[in-house]
Amino acid sequence: MPTTFDRYLLRRYFSTFLILLVSTYGLFVVIDGFTNVDSFQDGAESSRSVLSRIGTYYAYRVFDFFDMVGPTLCVISVTVVLGVLQYQRELHPVLAAGVPAYRMVMPLVAGAALVTGLMVLNTEFVIPRISMQLQTSRDGLSSSGKRLETVQDYELHMNIDGSRIDAAQQAIKGARFIFAAPVLVDELTTIESPRAIYYPENDQHPAGWLLKKADPPYDQLKLTELGRKKLLRVKDPGAIFLVSQVTFAQVYSNGGSYLYDSTPQLVRRITSPALSQYSVSRLILHLHNRLARPFQNLIAVFVAIPFVMRRESRSLIGNMAISAGVLVGLMASLQFGNFLASANVITPDFAVWLPVLLGGGLAAWQSHEILT
């Protein structure tokens, strides 16, 4: 059963975390807003429109910001709470009563675990639902303002190009689908469509693109056997349905949308033959980082505790500085490992999980140094 002191530590932890989160996000909004105020004003009809655009933009960004800085603030909050408790001499009476140090700080570990769980829920359920809003620029470009960069489908040997993107309808305006021979067609072929709409997979049809008023029409295409399976007739006159595993999210951000995908969506992308080997390697590295992040958070907490609550030390400030230095070193090793993995020097799993093992070993090694 949690004691009064446990609840006290939990309140201190969550209040510290919220204060840090609100203050850092407020600082981010002020700096970013003043730096890019001209972008918010582009095309705005009135000052009210500018304020509405700013409010909408940063209201969605709070979830992305929480996902980005949450792990750091999670550990900093533990360090700050322990430092304040030591400074105010609140730990010594509890330790003198015979309560083990790690039992005493378990509420802080539980608080860090709860925050980590919220970050997982935010990453898996919230961010994928608002991914389009997170990729909307400051000037509000969404339905018809965003230009399309060429996207390749490596399975079908096809390039997708166009003039504009309609995010609201998940469509491409002025679309051009360029097919190389002889995968789907017998000769190099470009199918143009004033509007190509993406449809996700359901019980009636596979995932793909509906090409409205396709030019050339279906009857004039010189299709291979595979082409007749991927380019289908539809009831809509003049339209063609293209079966493709290139999603609208990939077209919208030219491959960068994987940052906003849930883990099941990441796995489907990794197994998709439409992506290049380089893209798949990048996705695998990101997937390992996502799976390892909860363990990294908790291990960082267990590393910070013995350095802040050190049994023999000269000063509290020195303890916190050493703790920060060790955590920065672990973070640097993780970033360096990611760099080597992205350069194909080491494998993604080795790059991501080795710092986790090193951090766990360091936490266990320093556990006997904790204040008693």
PDB file of all heavy atoms in Angstrom, residues 110-126:
ATOM      1  N   ALA A 110       7.893   4.927 -10.231  1.00  0.00           N
ATOM      2  CA  ALA A 110       6.530   4.689 -10.698  1.00  0.00           C
ATOM      3  C   ALA A 110       6.012   5.884 -11.496  1.00  0.00           C
ATOM      4  O   ALA A 110       5.333   5.714 -12.519  1.00  0.00           O
ATOM      5  CB  ALA A 110       5.611   4.403  -9.506  1.00  0.00           C
ATOM      6  N   GLY A 111       6.319   7.093 -11.046  1.00  0.00           N
ATOM      7  CA  GLY A 111       5.915   8.281 -11.790  1.00  0.00           C
ATOM      8  C   GLY A 111       6.556   8.330 -13.166  1.00  0.00           C
ATOM      9  O   GLY A 111       5.897   8.659 -14.162  1.00  0.00           O
ATOM     10  N   ALA A 112       7.856   7.986 -13.232  1.00  0.00           N
ATOM     11  CA  ALA A 112       8.534   7.954 -14.528  1.00  0.00           C
ATOM     12  C   ALA A 112       7.926   6.888 -15.440  1.00  0.00           C
ATOM     13  O   ALA A 112       7.796   7.096 -16.652  1.00  0.00           O
ATOM     14  CB  ALA A 112      10.021   7.691 -14.322  1.00  0.00           C
ATOM     15  N   ALA A 113       7.540   5.752 -14.848  1.00  0.00           N
ATOM     16  CA  ALA A 113       6.902   4.697 -15.645  1.00  0.00           C
ATOM     17  C   ALA A 113       5.543   5.154 -16.179  1.00  0.00           C
ATOM     18  O   ALA A 113       5.182   4.859 -17.329  1.00  0.00           O
ATOM     19  CB  ALA A 113       6.750   3.431 -14.807  1.00  0.00           C
ATOM     20  N   LEU A 114       4.777   5.895 -15.359  1.00  0.00           N
ATOM     21  CA  LEU A 114       3.480   6.395 -15.818  1.00  0.00           C
ATOM     22  C   LEU A 114       3.646   7.407 -16.949  1.00  0.00           C
ATOM     23  O   LEU A 114       2.904   7.373 -17.940  1.00  0.00           O
ATOM     24  CB  LEU A 114       2.724   7.024 -14.642  1.00  0.00           C
ATOM     25  CG  LEU A 114       2.157   6.056 -13.611  1.00  0.00           C
ATOM     26  CD1 LEU A 114       1.563   6.833 -12.432  1.00  0.00           C
ATOM     27  CD2 LEU A 114       1.101   5.157 -14.228  1.00  0.00           C
ATOM     28  N   VAL A 115       4.612   8.292 -16.809  1.00  0.00           N
ATOM     29  CA  VAL A 115       4.871   9.267 -17.876  1.00  0.00           C
ATOM     30  C   VAL A 115       5.321   8.545 -19.140  1.00  0.00           C
ATOM     31  O   VAL A 115       4.906   8.901 -20.258  1.00  0.00           O
ATOM     32  CB  VAL A 115       5.919  10.287 -17.421  1.00  0.00           C
ATOM     33  CG1 VAL A 115       6.354  11.170 -18.582  1.00  0.00           C
ATOM     34  CG2 VAL A 115       5.365  11.148 -16.296  1.00  0.00           C
ATOM     35  N   THR A 116       6.155   7.529 -19.000  1.00  0.00           N
ATOM     36  CA  THR A 116       6.589   6.749 -20.151  1.00  0.00           C
ATOM     37  C   THR A 116       5.402   6.072 -20.816  1.00  0.00           C
ATOM     38  O   THR A 116       5.312   6.015 -22.050  1.00  0.00           O
ATOM     39  CB  THR A 116       7.629   5.707 -19.728  1.00  0.00           C
ATOM     40  OG1 THR A 116       8.755   6.365 -19.135  1.00  0.00           O
ATOM     41  CG2 THR A 116       8.099   4.884 -20.908  1.00  0.00           C
ATOM     42  N   GLY A 117       4.469   5.554 -20.012  1.00  0.00           N
ATOM     43  CA  GLY A 117       3.264   4.960 -20.577  1.00  0.00           C
ATOM     44  C   GLY A 117       2.424   5.966 -21.347  1.00  0.00           C
ATOM     45  O   GLY A 117       1.877   5.658 -22.414  1.00  0.00           O
ATOM     46  N   LEU A 118       2.331   7.194 -20.816  1.00  0.00           N
ATOM     47  CA  LEU A 118       1.602   8.250 -21.541  1.00  0.00           C
ATOM     48  C   LEU A 118       2.285   8.576 -22.861  1.00  0.00           C
ATOM     49  O   LEU A 118       1.608   8.841 -23.869  1.00  0.00           O
ATOM     50  CB  LEU A 118       1.510   9.503 -20.667  1.00  0.00           C
ATOM     51  CG  LEU A 118       0.589   9.429 -19.452  1.00  0.00           C
ATOM     52  CD1 LEU A 118       0.671  10.724 -18.649  1.00  0.00           C
ATOM     53  CD2 LEU A 118      -0.855   9.163 -19.880  1.00  0.00           C
ATOM     54  N   MET A 119       3.610   8.564 -22.879  1.00  0.00           N
ATOM     55  CA  MET A 119       4.330   8.821 -24.123  1.00  0.00           C
ATOM     56  C   MET A 119       4.071   7.721 -25.148  1.00  0.00           C
ATOM     57  O   MET A 119       3.945   7.986 -26.347  1.00  0.00           O
ATOM     58  CB  MET A 119       5.824   8.960 -23.844  1.00  0.00           C
ATOM     59  CG  MET A 119       6.210  10.280 -23.191  1.00  0.00           C
ATOM     60  SD  MET A 119       7.993  10.512 -23.096  1.00  0.00           S
ATOM     61  CE  MET A 119       8.386   9.400 -21.754  1.00  0.00           C
ATOM     62  N   VAL A 120       3.988   6.472 -24.680  1.00  0.00           N
ATOM     63  CA  VAL A 120       3.693   5.364 -25.588  1.00  0.00           C
ATOM     64  C   VAL A 120       2.285   5.524 -26.177  1.00  0.00           C
ATOM     65  O   VAL A 120       2.080   5.359 -27.391  1.00  0.00           O
ATOM     66  CB  VAL A 120       3.837   4.016 -24.855  1.00  0.00           C
ATOM     67  CG1 VAL A 120       3.324   2.877 -25.734  1.00  0.00           C
ATOM     68  CG2 VAL A 120       5.284   3.769 -24.461  1.00  0.00           C
ATOM     69  N   LEU A 121       1.308   5.862 -25.340  1.00  0.00           N
ATOM     70  CA  LEU A 121      -0.054   6.078 -25.830  1.00  0.00           C
ATOM     71  C   LEU A 121      -0.097   7.246 -26.811  1.00  0.00           C
ATOM     72  O   LEU A 121      -0.799   7.188 -27.832  1.00  0.00           O
ATOM     73  CB  LEU A 121      -0.995   6.334 -24.649  1.00  0.00           C
ATOM     74  CG  LEU A 121      -1.216   5.168 -23.685  1.00  0.00           C
ATOM     75  CD1 LEU A 121      -2.100   5.605 -22.524  1.00  0.00           C
ATOM     76  CD2 LEU A 121      -1.842   3.986 -24.407  1.00  0.00           C
ATOM     77  N   ASN A 122       0.644   8.293 -26.509  1.00  0.00           N
ATOM     78  CA  ASN A 122       0.684   9.457 -27.393  1.00  0.00           C
ATOM     79  C   ASN A 122       1.276   9.087 -28.755  1.00  0.00           C
ATOM     80  O   ASN A 122       0.772   9.505 -29.808  1.00  0.00           O
ATOM     81  CB  ASN A 122       1.507  10.560 -26.738  1.00  0.00           C
ATOM     82  CG  ASN A 122       1.600  11.814 -27.574  1.00  0.00           C
ATOM     83  OD1 ASN A 122       0.599  12.414 -27.942  1.00  0.00           O
ATOM     84  ND2 ASN A 122       2.817  12.224 -27.891  1.00  0.00           N
ATOM     85  N   THR A 123       2.344   8.283 -28.730  1.00  0.00           N
ATOM     86  CA  THR A 123       3.006   7.889 -29.976  1.00  0.00           C
ATOM     87  C   THR A 123       2.163   6.928 -30.800  1.00  0.00           C
ATOM     88  O   THR A 123       2.113   7.032 -32.035  1.00  0.00           O
ATOM     89  CB  THR A 123       4.364   7.237 -29.664  1.00  0.00           C
ATOM     90  OG1 THR A 123       5.174   8.153 -28.925  1.00  0.00           O
ATOM     91  CG2 THR A 123       5.090   6.840 -30.930  1.00  0.00           C
ATOM     92  N   GLU A 124       1.481   6.005 -30.132  1.00  0.00           N
ATOM     93  CA  GLU A 124       0.775   4.950 -30.852  1.00  0.00           C
ATOM     94  C   GLU A 124      -0.644   5.327 -31.262  1.00  0.00           C
ATOM     95  O   GLU A 124      -1.144   4.805 -32.275  1.00  0.00           O
ATOM     96  CB  GLU A 124       0.733   3.682 -29.987  1.00  0.00           C
ATOM     97  CG  GLU A 124       2.085   3.089 -29.674  1.00  0.00           C
ATOM     98  CD  GLU A 124       2.810   2.581 -30.918  1.00  0.00           C
ATOM     99  OE1 GLU A 124       2.126   2.200 -31.892  1.00  0.00           O
ATOM    100  OE2 GLU A 124       4.047   2.583 -30.908  1.00  0.00           O
ATOM    101  N   PHE A 125      -1.300   6.209 -30.520  1.00  0.00           N
ATOM    102  CA  PHE A 125      -2.712   6.464 -30.787  1.00  0.00           C
ATOM    103  C   PHE A 125      -3.027   7.920 -31.149  1.00  0.00           C
ATOM    104  O   PHE A 125      -3.871   8.167 -32.009  1.00  0.00           O
ATOM    105  CB  PHE A 125      -3.548   6.055 -29.570  1.00  0.00           C
ATOM    106  CG  PHE A 125      -3.454   4.590 -29.240  1.00  0.00           C
ATOM    107  CD1 PHE A 125      -2.657   4.152 -28.190  1.00  0.00           C
ATOM    108  CD2 PHE A 125      -4.147   3.650 -29.984  1.00  0.00           C
ATOM    109  CE1 PHE A 125      -2.547   2.804 -27.899  1.00  0.00           C
ATOM    110  CE2 PHE A 125      -4.052   2.295 -29.705  1.00  0.00           C
ATOM    111  CZ  PHE A 125      -3.245   1.872 -28.654  1.00  0.00           C
ATOM    112  N   VAL A 126      -2.369   8.877 -30.506  1.00  0.00           N
ATOM    113  CA  VAL A 126      -2.712  10.279 -30.739  1.00  0.00           C
ATOM    114  C   VAL A 126      -2.020  10.818 -31.985  1.00  0.00           C
ATOM    115  O   VAL A 126      -2.673  11.344 -32.901  1.00  0.00           O
ATOM    116  CB  VAL A 126      -2.359  11.140 -29.504  1.00  0.00           C
ATOM    117  CG1 VAL A 126      -2.706  12.598 -29.772  1.00  0.00           C
ATOM    118  CG2 VAL A 126      -3.104  10.637 -28.279  1.00  0.00           C
TER     119      VAL A 126
END
